[in-house]
Amino acid sequence: MTERLIVPDARYSALFGSALPQLPGARHPAVRRRREAGFERFMTLGFPGPKTEAWKYTSVGPLARTAFDLASRRDLRPADVKPYLIAGATRLVFVNGHFAADLSDDESDGERAPVCSLAAALERGDPAALDALSDDSAEARGFSALNDAFVADGGLIRLGDGVALERPVQLLFVSLDQDTPALINPRNVVVMGDGARLDLIESHVALGAGRGLTNLINHLVVGRGAALRHDRLETGGLEGTLIGRTHYEVSADARLTQALATLGGAFVRNETHALMQGSGIEATLNGLYFGRERQHIDNQILVDHAAPGSISDQFYKGILDGRAKAVFAGKIVVRREA
């Protein structure tokens, strides 16, 4: 352990070496290089230590000492996920981080599908999927580099200029317990053209003991004059860990509404970074969290106004019971030119 980071042990090198040939897109040299570069960054950056300012109220020491295996594929019946599905939505379902085609809507348009599995796009060598394989917005974040290396699947949504999907899109992630603690690395990528419209529902459900770590990355690009509503629900038992980072790049005259509800998990950290890149933007970030027993819930928000003439609003409410703990930091940066 150094002053600011916890150095990953040799188990991660062995895990990456054995997993790389089986990860999506491994047959494409460019994908392998991106993954290898991500793993090198992870080994350099490590886990945030006790003197890392952004993590000073949330310790990841126990996670860093846990021996994880990559989550295995598991089968679920439609009845198992039915309680968590949103009626009328186009849905992609992921079990332990792997796409479940039999529980999801058909991706019949192939490469032209506006909504598809990220792993399928990586297997095709889709350039958009390759671009999504590195979280350049968080170069000094070890968890992002870990996801760069091990990302297995997630949703890839691409909307051209003026495209408005008639139905909401639901991305449902179900995590199941296994014999050893599981490491799950989902990544969702949304690219919206100018004037596009999307209602996105992101659901995370833990069934069973759920002792694993879900290390989530969301990267969403909202074009000029586009409108994105992003609802995110985290529920399930009082075990398991979810550490997620959501990065928005919002262009002029766009509308962004995020609603985030944290109702489950032993240890949950939600990081939201919204980059406001033009004038006329309206962004609303709403959140609710309910902690009980020994839960630890950490919400970190950064809104960066990089241009003048935009509006952002944050509204969060929390309820704690038992010995639960919560952390909240809502930071707003207004650059000099803004």
Side-chain angles (χ1 to χ4, degrees):
M1 180 181 293
T2 68
E3 185 179 61
R4 292 190 176 277
L5 64 88
I6 301 173
V7 178
D9 63 31
R11 291 175 297 189
Y12 281 94
S13 295
L15 182 62
F16 183 68
S18 62
L20 181 59
Q22 282 76 45
L23 289 170
R27 62 192 178 91
H28 299 287
V31 174
R32 290 179 66 98
R33 287 195 295 268
R34 291 285 181 95
R35 292 190 182 278
E36 290 166 348
F39 187 73
E40 289 178 8
R41 287 197 305 275
F42 168 65
M43 294 301 289
T44 299
L45 295 170
F47 297 100
K51 293 190 177 181
T52 303
E53 180 67 20
W55 292 79
K56 65 181 180 180
Y57 300 117
T58 298
S59 172
V60 299
L63 284 178
R65 295 189 294 270
T66 300
F68 290 107
D69 287 326
L70 293 187
S72 58
R73 288 185 178 273
R74 298 280 296 277
D75 293 328
L76 286 178
R77 300 169 303 166
D80 296 325
V81 300
K82 185 177 179 179
Y84 310 104
L85 298 177
I86 304 298
T90 298
R91 59 182 179 266
L92 300 185
V93 179
F94 303 86
V95 180
N96 277 2
H98 301 282
F99 181 58
D102 57 325
L103 303 175
S104 305
D105 288 327
D106 183 30
E107 300 175 285
S108 58
D109 288 334
E111 295 186 23
R112 297 186 301 277
V115 181
C116 68
S117 157
L118 178 61
L122 287 171
E123 286 295 323
R124 294 194 299 265
D126 189 326
L130 179 61
D131 291 342
L133 206 57
S134 179
D135 184 21
D136 295 330
S137 65
E139 293 182 355
R141 184 177 182 273
F143 282 107
S144 292
L146 179 64
N147 187 286
D148 289 346
F150 286 102
V151 57
D153 213 337
L156 176 60
I157 301 174
R158 293 170 291 188
L159 303 181
D161 293 348
V163 174
L165 295 185
E166 295 181 0
R167 300 193 295 169
V169 174
Q170 182 186 17
L171 305 177
L172 173 59
F173 295 87
V174 182
S175 60
L176 303 175
D177 199 20
Q178 60 183 47
D179 294 337
T180 57
L183 177 61
I184 303 172
N185 292 279
R187 176 167 299 198
N188 300 313
V189 179
V190 176
V191 181
M192 301 174 61
D194 296 346
R197 299 287 185 272
L198 174 64
D199 286 347
L200 176 64
I201 303 163
E202 180 189 342
S203 308
H204 296 268
V205 179
L207 301 180
R211 295 176 296 151
L213 164 62
T214 296
N215 176 32
L216 167 73
I217 298 291
N218 289 326
H219 194 160
L220 304 99
V221 178
V222 185
R224 180 181 292 270
L228 170 65
R229 180 184 178 92
H230 183 193
D231 295 331
R232 182 169 155 197
L233 174 63
E234 300 160 354
T235 187
L238 298 183
E239 297 187 50
T241 298
L242 189 151
I243 296 177
R245 171 181 165 83
T246 298
H247 177 72
Y248 298 104
E249 297 178 15
V250 190
S251 297
D253 300 318
R255 300 293 179 265
L256 167 64
T257 303
Q258 182 201 53
L260 171 59
T262 302
L263 306 177
F267 174 11
V268 178
R269 178 176 167 106
N270 302 307
E271 301 177 23
T272 300
H273 181 196
L275 176 59
M276 317 279 277
Q277 300 183 114
S279 61
I281 299 170
E282 293 184 12
T284 302
L285 306 176
N286 297 323
L288 169 70
Y289 54 92
F290 173 42
R292 55 202 190 276
E293 297 185 15
R294 293 177 176 269
Q295 282 183 278
H296 183 97
I297 301 171
D298 185 347
N299 287 300
Q300 302 281 325
I301 302 174
L302 171 61
V303 179
D304 183 357
H305 285 266
S310 291
I311 298 171
S312 67
D313 182 71
Q314 300 177 34
F315 186 78
Y316 267 66
K317 290 290 185 179
I319 303 170
L320 298 180
D321 192 14
R323 302 180 66 180
K325 297 181 180 180
V327 181
F328 177 83
K331 184 177 182 180
I332 302 169
V333 174
V334 181
R335 301 190 195 184
R336 183 179 300 275
E337 59 270 25

